[in-house]
């Protein structure tokens, strides 16, 4: 009977069936090694002979069994050096079958947690990692081993080493790895990079995760982990992004739909089938979209504790949004946040948001009297931390900038002394802030220093003035026409009513 | 099929034996309509019949529904069904049961949007008036708001909704929303509103107009006949006060202080009231200015609003922030150039002012036209 194997793209014909031989010799060798430690080498030799036969005969199943048996014999004898040696040796045999290697590596991975001491463990991991390097068919096992190694290094205090080891992995390209596991490993990479304060690498790694992955309710825990890492990354560099991350966290988890992600280490062919199934599912999803959407919107019942925590995250989102420098995006985000109904549970913060959205001056003393205590309780504004001090400073700056923007909007010109009075600042500081905002193009301003006058208006060209005038007249005439039309209509109706009465 | 029939027949036979002859005749008519399956006529009849005074009893009404109405409720106009059930629900002693009863009816009338809305309004009324559940009331109001605003036309349900909403907002002390919903209610179904409640409603609306944030359009209330109901009553002063606000008359406001400060809410909010009338005064100044005198000096504003000079700019900025006026402040010259004032409902004298402005404008245009005619000769000659 002819049997063909698809072994990594090569068609190989199994020439001899060694199953009976394996059934006979494997138990014999194991028994021999167990009874008499001195017979260890004899047993291994027997297995090596059989391995050679099965490999050359292209009997994948039997070869796998032999390789696993060799590992088991070494493990049972607690001979770790031999295990390392034989693994390295066997992987490099000519015409070694890939599936057999996979089985052997998987067997060895289970031994990692059973090593007697750390030195042995590290040696085994190194051996396994070196033999798996560059081999796609065992990339998953290699990734897991690398993670274990990184954990060991981190526990030893070598964070940089751990990060370096993890960064070598390119898990985003692994076709056979489950998506969730990929994300977990990438999150680990991010965490280690953050620990060694390599923000550039962290930013690069973060982009490997697609946000859409978190739409699945089953991945809510990873979502939280991801966004907490992102907050750590952006907190000192971008308040706007930090606010965005907090908003994502403040979103409550949704009820899980019927779709459950299936864990499977699939081969290439199976992967193709999986993709086809996904396409079919997507087509089905289009038809069933309303139902799915309805299901997805059902929120899980939260405990009071959980609700309170989500509200706290929302508060952080609001505060970081307020602290972000003014631009279109920040303005949009404030408007978006103000529509969130959960803010009604924290009226103080809702009022803060409203003040910064409004077009009125904010008096600092009043602001401090109203909200000083509330903000002091917030973690963000702790005087004792570096970040807290920065937040306090930024809040004051934002308030002043807000006031300057309001004044620029309403005034065509005013005295510097009056502006100083309105802002409650010395004149030199007023000029500083004016210059800063002018540089960022938030406002347009000219200062006549000798006269102490500030101009906010841009000089308009004659054609602009004329165009504005024409537009205004146009609007006015439209209103007049509309009014006349309505009056005539009422007159017609009235005359008809009179006629009817007569 | 034979099972429900005897029930209806037996029920009607029992009812006709009443000693009240008038009532017996009514029941006979109802039976005829039922037997002939004239559902629409039967609905119209029942809407009024169910309000008969001898039937205002929980047991009787529930029996009417269970033994009679439920057998053909899916055949009649859903809105009519809800109108009939309104009386049934009013007489149910346990209001929670009443709400559950209405919830069951939702499925039966869901083909008719109007009926569903009406049913929800009834639930809201029960929550607000009887169960004192403000959260549930609020939820219903917010659900219905978007739906009713998108409805193409004004239905009878709109008036009931606005009444419910205004009562809720008055309860929770939201003056602005109460004022708006109250006015919308008056605009929808003033005809059905009992006359003896006009005075009270006018009083509450007046107070809300004064106390509500963002309420700067008092002309609509002043133009409405409901306010006339305050004449001759002890609250007539409120009319005068509202007129003072509408024209920004601060002197009158100050003169009437003894009267309006007796109302605790108004006394407590004096600062806000003063700010509001100042803003209205500024609007009025802007409105009265002719187009060629756009610059208003800080001094003039200070005089009219009775404010210290330092606070004039803050007042102007407040008005600009609320978009009541548009313009630019020139602090160096001590003037503000106003270019626009928010449209408002005007009284007659204000309209006369506007008309004279238009006349002046027409005169100016005519003059310009004649000037062009005279000068054109030179152009043509050359």
């Amino acid at each position: 009977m002819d049997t063909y194997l698809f072994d990594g793209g090569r068609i190989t014909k199994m020439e001899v069936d060694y199953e009976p031989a394996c059934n006979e010799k494997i138990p014999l060798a194991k028994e021999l090694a167990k009874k008499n430690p001195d017979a260890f080498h004899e047993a291994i030799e027997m297995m090596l002979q059989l391995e050679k036969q099965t490999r050359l005969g292209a009997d994948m199943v039997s070869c796998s069994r032999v390789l696993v048996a060799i590992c088991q014999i070494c493990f049972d004898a607690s001979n770790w050096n031999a295990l390392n040696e034989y693994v390295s040796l066997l992987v490099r045999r000519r015409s070694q079958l890939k599936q057999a290697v996979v089985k052997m590596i998987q067997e060895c991975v289970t031994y990692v947690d059973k090593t007697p001491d750390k030195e042995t463990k590290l040696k085994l991991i190194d051996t396994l990692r070196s033999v798996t390097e560059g081999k796609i068919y065992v990339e998953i096992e290699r990734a897991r081993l690398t993670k274990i190694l990184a954990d060991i290094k981190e526990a030893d205090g070598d964070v940089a080493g751990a990060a370096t080891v993890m960064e070598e992995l390119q898990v985003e390209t692994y076709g056979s790895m489950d998506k969730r596991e990929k994300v977990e490993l990438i999150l680990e990479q991010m965490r280690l990079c953050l620990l060694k304060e390599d923000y550039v690498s962290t930013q690069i790694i973060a982009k490997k995760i697609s946000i859409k992955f978190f739409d699945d309710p089953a991945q809510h825990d990873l979502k939280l982990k991801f966004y907490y890492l992102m907050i750590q990354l952006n907190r000192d560099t971008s308040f706007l992004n930090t606010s965005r991350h907090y908003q994502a966290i403040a979103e409550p988890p949704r009820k899980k739909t019927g779709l459950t992600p299936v864990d499977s280490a699939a081969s290439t062919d199976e992967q193709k089938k999986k993709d086809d199934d996904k396409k079919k599912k997507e087509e089905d999803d289009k038809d069933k979209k309303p139902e799915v959407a309805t299901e997805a919107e059902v929120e899980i019942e939260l405990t009071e504790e959980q609700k309170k925590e989500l509200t706290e995250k929302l508060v952080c989102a609001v505060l970081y949004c307020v602290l972000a420098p003014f631009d279109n995006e920040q303005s949009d985000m404030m408007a978006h946040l103000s529509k969130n109904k959960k803010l009604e549970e924290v009226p103080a913060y809702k009022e803060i948001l409203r003040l910064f959205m409004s077009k009125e001056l904010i008096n600092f003393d009043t602001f401090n009297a109203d909200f000083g205590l509330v903000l002091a309780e917030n973690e963000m504004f702790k005087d004792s931390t570096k970040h807290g001090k920065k937040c306090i400073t930024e809040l004051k700056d934002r308030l002043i900038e807000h006031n300057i923007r309001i004044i620029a909007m309403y005034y065509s010109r005013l005295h510097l002394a009056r502006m100083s009075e309105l802002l409650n600042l010395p004149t030199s500081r007023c000029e500083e802030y004016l210059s800063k905002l002018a540089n960022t193009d938030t406002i347009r301003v000219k200062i006549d220093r000798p006269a102490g006058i500030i101009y906010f208006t841009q000089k308009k060209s004659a054609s602009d003035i004329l165009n504005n005038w024409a537009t205004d007249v146009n609007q006015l005439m439209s209103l007049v026409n509309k009014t006349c039309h309505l009056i005539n209509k009422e007159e017609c109706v009235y005359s008809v009513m009179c006629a009817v009465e007569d | 099929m034979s099972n429900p029939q005897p029930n209806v027949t037996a029920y009607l036979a029992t009812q006709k034996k009443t000693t009240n002859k008038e009532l017996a005749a009514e029941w006979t008519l109802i039976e005829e309509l039922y037997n002939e399956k004239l559902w629409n006529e039967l609905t119209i009849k029942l809407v009024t019949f169910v309000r008969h005074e001898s039937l205002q009893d929980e047991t009787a009404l529930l029996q009417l529904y269970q033994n009679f109405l439920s057998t053909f409720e899916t055949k009649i106009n859903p809105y009519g069904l809800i109108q009939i059930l309104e009386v049934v629900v009013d007489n149910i002693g346990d209001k929670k049961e009443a709400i559950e009863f209405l919830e069951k009816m939702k499925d039966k009338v869901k083909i008719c949007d109007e009926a569903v809305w009406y049913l929800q309004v009834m639930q809201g009324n029960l929550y607000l008036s009887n169960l004192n559940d403000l959260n549930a009331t609020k939820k219903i109001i917010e659900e219905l708001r978007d739906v009713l605003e998108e409805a193409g036309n004004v239905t009878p349900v709109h008036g009931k909704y606005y009444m419910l909403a205004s009562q809720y907002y008055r309860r929770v002390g939201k003056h602005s929303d109460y004022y708006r919903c109250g006015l919308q209610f008056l605009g929808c179904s003033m005809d059905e509103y009992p006359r003896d409640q006009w005075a009270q409603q006018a009083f509450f609306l007046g107070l809300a107009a004064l106390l509500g944030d963002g309420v700067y359009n008092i002309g609509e209330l002043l133009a409405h006949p409901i306010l006339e109901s305050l004449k001759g009553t002890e609250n007539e002063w409120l009319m005068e006060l509202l007129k003072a606000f509408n024209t920004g008359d601060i002197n009158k406001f100050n003169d009437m202080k003894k009267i309006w400060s007796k109302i605790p809410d108004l006394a407590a909010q004096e600062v806000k009231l003063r700010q509001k009338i100042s803003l209205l005064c500024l609007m009025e100044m802007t409105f009265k200015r002719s187009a060629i005198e756009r610059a208003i000096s800080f001094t003039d504003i200070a005089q009219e609003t009775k404010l210290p000079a330092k606070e004039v700019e803050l007042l102007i900025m407040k008005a600009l922030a609320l978009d009541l006026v548009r313009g630019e402040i020139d602090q160096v010259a001590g003037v503000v150039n106003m270019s626009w004032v928010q449209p408002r409902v005007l009284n007659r004298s204000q309209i006369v002012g506007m008309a004279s402005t238009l006349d002046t404008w027409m005169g100016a245009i005519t003059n310009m036209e004649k000037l062009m005619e005279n000068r054109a000769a030179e152009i043509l000659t050359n």
Side-chain angles (χ1 to χ4, degrees):
Chain A
M1 179 156 184
D2 293 344
T3 306
Y4 291 92
L5 304 175
F6 290 88
D7 188 59
R10 268 182 16 237
I11 298 177
T12 309
K13 178 183 175 184
M14 186 178 75
E15 297 174 5
V16 185
D17 184 4
Y18 285 98
E19 185 172 354
C22 290
N23 289 341
E24 178 194 343
K25 289 186 179 179
I26 289 177
L28 187 60
K30 285 185 176 179
E31 190 70 14
L32 184 59
K34 185 177 293 184
K35 282 185 177 177
N36 187 5
D38 290 334
F40 171 82
H41 291 289
E42 185 181 344
I44 293 295
E45 194 61 32
M46 186 186 302
M47 287 292 100
L48 288 176
Q49 293 280 346
L50 185 57
E51 181 271 336
K52 182 174 182 179
Q53 290 170 357
T54 55
R55 170 163 49 84
L56 296 181
D59 186 349
M60 185 188 72
V61 175
S62 300
C63 189
S64 301
R65 291 177 64 193
V66 174
L67 293 182
V68 169
I70 292 172
C71 295
Q72 284 170 345
I73 291 171
C74 293
F75 175 71
D76 291 337
S78 299
N79 195 335
W80 298 101
N81 287 330
L83 178 63
N84 290 336
E85 283 177 27
Y86 283 118
V87 167
S88 299
L89 184 70
L90 291 167
V91 166
R92 277 190 273 270
R93 294 293 201 188
R94 182 174 68 87
S95 301
Q96 184 59 276
L97 299 168
K98 289 186 172 59
Q99 280 299 313
V101 173
V102 172
K103 289 285 197 292
M104 178 172 67
I105 298 296
Q106 286 174 358
E107 176 71 14
C108 291
V109 167
T110 64
Y111 298 160
V112 170
D113 290 333
K114 302 169 184 173
T115 51
D117 53 54
K118 188 160 75 172
E119 187 187 359
T120 306
K121 186 173 188 175
L122 286 174
K123 268 189 180 178
L124 179 58
I125 290 175
D126 283 346
T127 301
L128 293 175
R129 289 186 74 239
S130 65
V131 301
T132 55
E133 183 169 7
K135 294 181 168 62
I136 290 178
Y137 49 95
V138 282
E139 62 188 3
I140 293 180
E141 280 74 26
R142 185 162 199 278
R144 291 172 185 164
L145 289 166
T146 305
K147 170 131 182 9
I148 295 173
L149 180 59
D151 288 344
I152 293 172
K153 281 180 180 288
E154 187 180 0
D156 287 349
D158 184 10
V159 172
T164 303
V165 161
M166 283 295 289
E167 279 182 73
E168 290 171 11
L169 294 176
Q170 301 291 320
V171 288
E172 66 276 6
T173 64
Y174 290 7
S176 54
M177 184 178 267
D178 175 51
K179 234 177 184 182
R180 184 185 163 91
E181 190 172 1
K182 275 197 214 181
V183 172
E184 282 173 346
L185 286 170
I186 296 178
L187 289 178
E188 190 67 11
Q189 288 176 336
M190 290 175 63
R191 189 179 67 80
L192 290 171
C193 281
L194 275 175
L195 279 180
K196 74 173 190 177
E197 298 185 1
D198 186 352
Y199 299 118
V200 176
S201 294
T202 311
Q203 190 73 53
I204 293 169
I205 294 169
K207 286 184 165 40
K208 298 177 180 178
I209 297 178
S210 167
I211 304 299
K212 287 181 181 175
F213 174 77
F214 299 125
D215 289 349
D216 184 357
Q219 316 302 342
H220 191 73
D221 57 327
L222 292 187
K223 178 184 183 183
L224 294 184
K225 206 180 283 186
F226 172 73
Y227 281 115
Y228 278 117
L229 290 173
M230 292 302 288
I231 285 165
Q232 244 180 290
L233 172 64
N234 287 137
R235 193 164 65 168
D236 288 319
T237 58
S238 171
F239 287 132
L240 195 68
N241 283 330
T242 306
S243 178
R244 191 175 283 123
H245 302 323
Y246 270 113
Q247 285 182 59
I249 293 177
E251 213 174 286
R254 291 171 300 172
K255 200 167 274 184
K256 294 176 182 180
T257 56
L259 308 175
T260 305
V262 180
D263 284 329
S264 62
S267 69
T268 305
D269 291 339
E270 288 177 13
Q271 187 66 36
K272 282 188 178 179
K273 291 182 181 178
K274 202 174 181 182
D275 289 339
D276 291 342
D277 288 346
K278 280 184 181 177
K279 289 181 182 177
K280 290 182 180 178
K281 276 187 180 178
E282 283 173 9
E283 290 172 5
D284 291 346
D285 282 349
K286 285 181 181 178
D287 296 338
K288 301 179 179 177
K289 205 169 184 180
E291 289 186 19
V292 173
T294 305
E295 276 189 59
E297 285 165 11
V298 176
E299 291 182 359
I300 297 174
E301 284 296 327
L302 300 174
T303 64
E304 285 301 317
E305 187 109 345
Q306 285 171 325
K307 282 182 181 175
K308 188 179 176 184
E309 192 175 339
L310 287 187
T311 304
E312 282 174 14
K313 300 311 166 193
L314 185 59
V315 164
C316 286
V318 169
L319 289 174
Y320 276 109
C321 183
V322 164
L323 291 179
F326 176 84
D327 61 17
N328 289 339
E329 206 172 351
Q330 189 253 5
S331 197
D332 281 351
M333 188 178 284
M334 284 206 291
H336 180 72
L337 278 168
S338 69
K339 289 172 185 167
N340 194 316
K341 296 203 168 164
K342 291 193 166 63
L343 271 184
E344 292 177 9
E345 298 167 20
V346 278
Y349 294 100
K350 180 170 185 171
E351 180 65 10
I352 289 173
L353 186 64
R354 190 195 69 79
L355 283 175
F356 277 89
M357 285 179 67
S358 74
K359 300 177 179 178
E360 299 175 32
L361 293 181
I362 303 174
N363 183 277
F364 181 76
D365 294 330
T366 307
F367 185 87
N368 202 28
D370 289 345
F371 305 110
L373 288 181
V374 173
L375 293 177
E377 287 171 11
N378 197 298
E379 281 290 322
M380 279 174 64
F381 296 100
K382 290 292 183 189
D383 255 342
S384 50
T385 67
K386 181 184 169 188
H387 184 67
K389 281 175 183 166
K390 180 176 179 179
C391 285
I392 292 170
T393 306
E394 291 288 329
L395 183 60
K396 290 177 182 172
D397 284 356
R398 292 291 96 74
L399 198 144
I400 292 166
E401 286 167 15
H402 170 84
N403 287 341
I404 291 178
R405 272 202 326 277
I406 297 307
I407 290 172
M409 187 186 298
Y410 292 150
Y411 281 80
S412 52
R413 58 177 184 155
L414 82 162
H415 286 296
L416 186 55
R418 177 59 174 162
M419 173 170 248
S420 169
E421 194 178 315
L422 288 171
L423 294 180
N424 206 13
L425 286 177
T427 53
S428 56
R429 297 256 287 158
C430 282
E431 284 192 38
E432 266 182 46
Y433 281 105
L434 279 169
S435 304
K436 194 169 134 198
L437 288 182
N439 277 333
T440 60
D441 235 358
T442 306
I443 59 171
R444 298 183 162 215
V445 64
K446 289 179 179 176
I447 303 176
D448 184 344
R449 278 175 126 250
I453 295 175
I454 301 168
Y455 295 83
F456 288 109
T457 316
Q458 276 289 302
K459 204 166 189 181
K460 287 184 178 178
S461 66
S463 62
D464 283 343
I465 295 174
L466 198 56
N467 283 336
N468 286 340
W469 178 81
T471 305
D472 290 342
V473 173
N474 228 354
Q475 282 180 16
L476 180 54
M477 294 314 297
S478 299
L479 288 175
V480 172
N481 280 339
K482 188 173 179 181
T483 306
C484 291
H485 170 72
L486 291 174
I487 291 172
N488 286 333
K489 180 182 161 190
E490 289 297 319
E491 283 180 355
C492 288
V493 171
Y494 183 74
S495 62
V496 168
M497 296 290 282
C498 288
V500 168
E501 284 180 8
D502 292 345
Chain B
M1 196 60 196
S2 60
N3 198 19
Q5 191 68 20
N7 283 351
V8 172
T9 306
Y11 175 76
L12 290 175
T14 304
Q15 296 302 320
K16 285 198 294 182
K17 291 174 182 174
T18 177
T19 54
N20 188 326
K21 294 213 177 280
E22 178 210 353
L23 205 57
E26 298 270 16
W27 278 111
T28 304
L29 178 55
I30 287 172
E31 186 184 35
E32 285 175 19
L33 293 172
Y34 175 82
N35 288 334
E36 295 179 24
K37 302 187 192 304
L38 298 176
W39 305 125
N40 190 48
E41 287 80 355
L42 184 54
T43 304
I44 295 171
K45 179 62 186 174
L46 283 174
V47 168
T48 53
F49 175 73
V50 80
R51 288 169 167 80
H52 196 279
E53 60 187 55
S54 67
L55 283 177
Q56 302 309 301
D57 174 72
E58 178 174 359
T59 306
L61 286 169
L62 281 179
Q63 281 180 4
L64 172 67
Y65 172 74
Q66 285 159 8
N67 294 326
F68 182 57
L69 197 51
S70 61
T71 58
F72 57 89
E73 63 189 343
T74 56
K75 299 183 174 69
I76 65 178
N77 176 19
Y79 187 76
L81 175 63
I82 297 299
Q83 283 180 299
I84 296 168
L85 293 177
E86 184 178 14
V87 180
V88 178
V89 165
D90 281 348
N91 281 277
I92 295 181
D94 186 343
K95 295 308 176 183
K96 287 198 172 175
E97 277 184 21
I99 288 175
E100 285 169 16
F101 178 77
L102 288 172
E103 197 67 27
K104 284 179 207 162
M105 299 309 299
K106 257 187 192 177
D107 284 341
K108 302 181 179 179
V109 299
K110 64 188 177 186
I111 57 171
C112 176
D113 285 337
E114 224 176 282
V116 175
W117 301 339
Y118 193 179
L119 193 142
Q120 283 179 291
V121 170
M122 289 167 65
Q123 284 182 323
N125 276 316
L126 288 170
Y127 279 125
L128 183 64
S129 303
N130 302 104
L131 296 178
N132 231 6
D133 190 341
L134 295 182
N135 281 333
T137 311
K138 180 183 184 182
K139 196 177 174 187
I140 288 175
I141 288 171
E142 285 173 353
E143 271 181 35
L144 284 175
R145 177 193 291 133
D146 298 331
V147 177
L148 290 183
E149 280 178 4
E150 285 180 14
N153 56 322
V154 175
T155 71
V157 183
H158 279 75
K160 297 180 192 300
Y161 165 76
Y162 288 127
M163 172 56 79
L164 167 67
S166 61
Q167 284 173 344
Y168 167 76
Y169 288 126
R170 178 154 69 83
R171 178 79 70 87
V172 300
K174 293 194 175 182
H175 300 293
S176 309
D177 291 317
Y178 170 64
Y179 181 74
R180 278 185 212 100
C181 287
L183 283 185
Q184 281 175 300
F185 164 73
L186 296 181
C188 284
S189 46
M190 186 61 180
D191 304 332
E192 301 170 16
Y193 200 44
R195 213 164 184 96
D196 55 308
Q197 293 187 35
W198 282 29
Q200 191 194 40
Q201 186 76 353
F203 181 71
F204 286 144
L205 278 175
L207 290 183
L210 297 177
L211 295 167
D213 287 340
V215 176
Y216 294 96
N217 196 341
I218 301 176
E220 191 173 350
L221 177 60
L222 285 172
H224 202 281
I226 196 173
L227 209 61
E228 297 296 321
S229 63
L230 288 177
K231 248 171 190 174
T233 72
E234 61 179 4
N235 290 326
E236 186 169 357
W237 58 268
L238 187 56
M239 278 182 71
E240 301 302 319
L241 188 59
L242 287 169
K243 287 176 182 174
F245 266 75
N246 194 38
T247 57
D249 193 342
I250 293 180
N251 287 323
K252 198 171 180 185
F253 174 73
N254 288 330
D255 293 346
M256 294 178 68
K257 178 165 181 177
K258 286 182 183 176
I259 304 173
W260 56 259
S261 59
K262 288 176 186 172
I263 307 289
D265 282 340
L266 293 180
Q269 300 285 338
E270 179 175 351
V271 172
K272 276 176 74 175
L273 289 178
R274 198 167 288 279
Q275 185 186 61
K276 176 178 276 199
I277 194 166
S278 299
L279 287 167
L280 286 162
C281 178
L282 184 61
M283 289 178 77
E284 192 72 6
M285 290 179 71
T286 307
F287 179 68
K288 284 175 174 170
R289 288 280 164 152
S290 81
I292 55 178
E293 294 175 36
R294 285 300 171 79
I296 310 174
S297 73
F298 292 171
T299 313
D300 289 347
I301 296 174
Q303 277 177 17
E304 293 260 357
T305 60
K306 313 282 186 296
L307 286 173
K310 291 271 182 183
E311 289 181 26
V312 166
E313 283 170 72
L314 297 179
L315 177 73
I316 297 170
M317 280 195 275
K318 182 80 175 182
L320 290 165
L322 294 168
D323 208 28
L324 301 176
V325 294
R326 290 180 195 160
E328 281 180 349
I329 304 171
D330 186 341
Q331 189 255 340
V332 177
V335 301
V336 53
N337 293 282
M338 297 297 196
S339 56
W340 180 88
V341 64
Q342 188 186 82
R344 292 186 295 161
V345 177
L346 304 170
N347 58 26
R348 284 183 178 276
S349 61
Q350 286 168 326
I351 292 176
V352 168
M354 189 169 71
S356 64
T357 301
L358 285 175
D359 289 339
T360 303
W361 187 43
M362 284 178 63
I365 292 177
T366 306
N367 288 340
M368 179 61 64
E369 186 183 349
K370 288 175 180 174
L371 186 63
M372 296 275 290
E373 285 176 4
N374 293 337
R375 300 284 178 152
E378 298 180 16
I379 298 173
L380 292 175
T381 304
N382 294 337

